[in-house]
Amino acid sequence: MAYRVLGRAGPPQPRRARRLLFAFTLSLSCTYLCYSLLCCCDDLGRSRLLRAPRCLRGPGAGGQKLLPKSRPCDPPGPTPSAPAALAPAPRLPAANLSGSPRLGTKRLPQALIVGVKKGGTRAVLEFIRVHPDVRALGTEPHFFDRNYGRGLDWYRSLMPRTLDSQITLEKTPSYFVTQEAPRRIFNMSRDTKLIVVVRNPVTRAISDYTQTLSKKPDIPTFEGLSFRNRTLGLVDVSWNAIRIGLYALHLESWLQYFPLSQILFVSGERLITDPAGELGRVQDFLGIKRFITDKHFYFNKTKGFPCLKRTESSLLPRCLGKSKGRTHVQIDPEVIDQLREFYRPYNVKFYETVGQDFRWE
């Protein structure tokens, strides 16, 4: 009896120790198994939720296109800290979104073609755009007459990107006859260079009417719109086609803000007979080298005005669109004579103001 009591009070037998060790090991194994199952199920659910096998993006996709469902996944890489499908796509620098080299900065224009409608503004714009030091907006933004409330940041956003050595140019012919335009442009920059393409006001009015007639065939005759009373010789200056040709009156508003040295007047007539000569004056005015010369032009007999020859960047010759060079409607010669007499004093005053005789009489 004493032996049994002493045995129970002494150290545990080897069999009992093995049982305890086995139970402890089994407990650890079960715990590890449960943890592994939970993690596996969680990963499985997340994989189904994110549809990882579809491989949303692949090499060379730039994060822009979904790959076909049948395309195999990319080789596994280092484990990310967050699921790849939830990670934000890398953002490229703003200037390189297209993948092309940096093209410069969007700036407010240093020069504007402000007028006049049907004078040859589109020709000047297309011709001067050939110059490597000029970048021009192709459309007419009408900022200083219709969209001024949008602000200069909106206006700047429309401009093409330019390098420091390049000039930003914009054309909207209606600026010249907009009363508020000179002040608004001056507030943007008092150093802005202004180009005004002018043309015989009678011819310009007929061209304006011809364009309107092509869009609205039911409008009154040119004679009916030009005169309040033809017998008395009363011209209707409220008609826009007539009013635009009063160049001397419109110029007064501009000279309140800009000196003549900042305004270049281009002859619409000479632009047809000597495009290289007029473009030479434009290049000198903008302070750029004379890159555009006679070699860039040829005369298109069908259209009746010069076109650009093909260049290294353009394999085909470039002419203005079909809306340019329309055949003018026939006008009674007596009506033309009356309008010439009406415009004569305004033309003379314009010649004297700008120091240039356009010989419209």
Side-chain angles (χ1 to χ4, degrees):
M1 293 294 295
Y3 175 76
R4 289 182 178 178
V5 173
L6 289 173
R8 290 184 180 181
Q13 300 297 322
R15 181 179 296 179
R16 185 178 179 185
R18 286 196 298 270
R19 288 177 180 175
L20 290 175
L21 180 61
F22 176 77
F24 180 74
T25 303
L26 181 62
S27 176
L28 288 177
S29 300
C30 291
T31 302
Y32 179 79
L33 178 61
C34 293
Y35 180 80
S36 299
L37 289 172
L38 287 173
C39 292
C40 180
C41 293
D42 182 66
D43 288 342
L44 179 61
R46 185 179 301 165
S47 176
R48 289 179 179 177
L49 176 63
L50 299 178
R51 300 181 183 271
R54 291 183 59 187
C55 294
L56 293 179
R57 307 191 190 279
Q64 300 298 321
K65 295 182 180 180
L66 293 176
L67 299 181
K69 292 184 179 180
S70 60
R71 179 167 180 168
C73 295
D74 296 334
T79 304
S81 58
L86 293 181
R91 297 186 64 181
L92 298 175
N96 292 322
L97 289 177
S98 64
S100 59
R102 185 174 179 84
L103 298 177
T105 305
K106 291 192 174 187
R107 299 181 177 88
L108 292 171
Q110 296 94 358
L112 297 172
I113 301 176
V114 298
V116 296
K117 179 184 179 184
K118 307 308 295 181
T121 57
R122 173 57 63 175
V124 172
L125 180 73
E126 294 302 325
F127 294 163
I128 198 63
R129 290 174 80 177
V130 174
H131 201 293
D133 292 339
V134 175
R135 295 296 307 282
L137 182 64
T139 57
E140 298 176 4
H142 286 276
F143 176 66
F144 294 106
D145 57 353
R146 303 177 189 172
N147 296 305
Y148 193 64
R150 293 176 178 264
L152 285 174
D153 287 339
W154 175 84
Y155 184 47
R156 182 189 290 109
S157 71
L158 303 178
M159 298 300 135
R161 293 185 181 276
T162 53
L163 303 175
D164 292 340
S165 60
Q166 294 176 316
I167 294 174
T168 304
L169 180 68
E170 184 253 293
K171 171 190 85 82
T172 302
S174 55
Y175 290 163
F176 189 67
V177 297
T178 300
Q179 190 71 26
E180 301 81 9
R183 174 179 55 81
R184 291 172 174 176
I185 295 172
F186 179 83
N187 289 339
M188 176 187 72
S189 173
R190 63 182 61 193
D191 297 322
T192 305
K193 294 186 177 183
L194 308 170
I195 299 174
V196 185
V197 189
V198 290
R199 184 182 185 184
N200 186 318
V202 178
T203 308
R204 198 222 64 82
I206 296 173
S207 179
D208 199 337
Y209 175 79
T210 301
Q211 182 183 53
T212 304
L213 186 65
S214 68
K215 301 175 182 178
K216 301 177 181 179
D218 56 343
I219 61 173
T221 64
F222 178 83
E223 176 186 331
L225 292 170
S226 298
F227 294 91
R228 287 186 293 154
N229 187 320
R230 185 186 167 190
T231 303
L232 298 177
L234 299 178
V235 176
D236 190 352
V237 294
S238 66
W239 185 32
N240 197 50
I242 294 294
R243 185 174 62 88
I244 290 175
L246 303 175
Y247 305 141
L249 295 184
H250 300 305
L251 183 58
E252 291 177 359
S253 300
W254 293 89
L255 293 180
Q256 292 179 20
Y257 294 91
F258 296 96
L260 277 173
S261 59
Q262 280 180 233
I263 309 175
L264 176 69
F265 298 94
V266 176
S267 168
E269 287 79 16
R270 286 197 293 271
L271 196 60
I272 295 175
T273 59
D274 182 20
E278 287 301 286
L279 263 292
R281 296 179 60 239
V282 173
Q283 293 170 93
D284 292 345
F285 176 69
L286 294 177
I288 55 181
K289 64 180 181 181
R290 287 202 175 194
F291 173 83
I292 305 171
T293 61
D294 284 318
K295 68 181 182 181
H296 288 88
F297 300 98
Y298 76 95
F299 190 81
N300 187 309
K301 295 181 180 180
T302 302
K303 285 184 170 292
F305 53 76
C307 297
L308 290 168
K309 292 180 181 178
R310 65 181 183 180
T311 61
E312 294 179 359
S313 60
S314 176
L315 298 179
L316 297 175
R318 202 167 91 202
C319 273
L320 301 181
K322 63 181 181 180
S323 64
K324 308 300 180 182
R326 291 189 185 95
T327 301
H328 290 176
V329 295
Q330 295 296 315
I331 306 297
D332 185 343
E334 292 184 3
V335 171
I336 295 177
D337 288 341
Q338 284 181 289
L339 289 178
R340 282 177 177 168
E341 288 302 315
F342 166 76
Y343 279 119
R344 188 183 303 278
Y346 296 100
N347 292 342
V348 171
K349 183 178 181 181
F350 181 63
Y351 300 163
E352 293 173 348
T353 303
V354 303
Q356 189 174 344
D357 187 350
F358 291 89
R359 302 182 182 280
W360 291 327
E361 285 70 32

